[in-house]
Amino acid sequence: MSVKVREYKKRGRSGWEVDIMFKWPDGELYRERVKAPVGSKSGAKAWGEQRQSELLSRGRKAVEKKTVPTLKEFAPRYLDEGARANRQKPSTLIQKKRILDFYLLPRFGELRLDTISNAAVAKLKAELVDRSPKTVNNVLVVLNTVFKTALKWGVIEQMPATIELLKVAPSTMEFYEPHEFERLVDAAAKVDHQHLVFILLGGEAGLRCGEIIALEQTDVDFTRGVIHVRRSEWEGHVTLPKGGRARQVNMTARLADTLRKQRHLRGERVLWRADGHPKVPQVLLNKWMSRVQRLAGLKVTGGIHILRHTFCSWLAMAGAPAKPSRIWPVFRTSSPPSGTCT
């Protein structure tokens, strides 16, 4: 029996590889080489000896019956059969893949799932100390779902580590006061009509960025005075709105009048690009928002979600309940209504 430790270097990451070799009672040779989940050579040696003892105690049949895959081997199955097969949104799929590729596979890719220990998770947290708690928690959540999926499918016998999320301080929700929003509306009107439509859809109808992008002219019902929010777009992928269901939003008189003037024959979408492209990307809406904020003399937020925050905040100040409803109330900038925001 032998447990050898050698330095491990791959793709700019270093560590210690443990080479375990012994014979079963029947004389058959068994060998296992794996990257140790600890940082020191002595720790890797101790971990390898403990691993050897565990293998011998479990017996040859138990060890050979199930070979636990590495994270690198299991990740494609997790994404395809776990996330994609369950119809998770494209944004969720891409986010999980990015977290795996950027944070988890470089660190744990060569480790078998059952060897990613609490010590390895603690080291991951230490290496991400310069990242925000929310980012670290997103990484930990993906790792935890990988463990749970592997356990559910019988790939591992038990959870190899306990995932403890970091505490995240509650964030403050920025929104515009009525006089600030009117400054924003006036500035948008000075740029062009498209900017005005965009600002009113976010601030007076509470549409999210992807919902504004995906809004089609046929979704606007001038007879009933409502907007049918049926879809959302993220990086070219069209899905249902957040929450997985469509909803209806009542229009203000100002928004309805603005949308009537926006009707065109350039395509199905309400918003269009000057270069003739039928779709307005999120990065362009962010640029529109920054341009209008600067013209209005307001802080540049770097995103458009403050418009939805404004809509929801005014409803909350008017005493609107948090419980969602299918049809939202008529919104008046001069007198915030009662209703709901989800």
Side-chain angles (χ1 to χ4, degrees), residues 139-263:
V139 175
L140 294 174
V141 167
V142 171
L143 181 60
N144 198 42
T145 57
V146 168
F147 289 158
K148 288 183 176 180
T149 302
L151 181 63
K152 182 171 66 174
W153 291 348
V155 176
I156 55 178
E157 297 177 355
Q158 61 184 5
M159 293 287 283
T162 301
I163 305 297
E164 297 179 353
L165 301 181
L166 302 178
K167 292 184 179 181
V168 180
S171 58
T172 57
M173 187 175 70
E174 292 185 297
F175 65 94
Y176 290 123
E177 296 289 349
H179 68 281
E180 294 176 317
F181 183 71
E182 290 306 312
R183 284 168 56 187
L184 200 69
V185 171
D186 291 341
K190 292 178 181 178
V191 177
D192 63 27
H193 193 74
Q194 287 235 100
H195 284 66
L196 178 60
V197 171
F198 153 61
I199 293 297
L200 292 180
L201 284 173
E204 290 196 357
L207 269 63
R208 300 178 177 90
C209 182
E211 295 167 351
I212 293 175
I213 293 172
L215 186 66
E216 298 182 358
Q217 298 188 73
T218 54
D219 296 329
V220 183
D221 187 343
F222 293 106
T223 302
R224 297 177 58 195
V226 299
I227 296 175
H228 299 274
V229 185
R230 298 184 173 112
R231 67 195 70 80
S232 179
E233 180 173 314
W234 186 83
E235 293 191 3
H237 300 279
V238 178
T239 62
L240 288 172
K242 187 174 182 178
R245 64 191 182 104
R247 68 181 189 278
Q248 294 177 355
V249 184
N250 292 335
M251 291 187 287
T252 64
R254 177 166 64 178
L255 177 57
D257 181 62
T258 304
L259 286 172
R260 283 193 184 92
K261 296 176 181 178
Q262 178 68 7
R263 300 177 73 176

Side-chain angles (χ1 to χ4, degrees), residues 17 52 128 180 226 245 266 314 325:
E17 182 184 70
Q52 179 179 259
L128 299 181
E180 294 176 317
V226 299
R245 64 191 182 104
R266 295 178 177 87
W314 289 11
S325 64

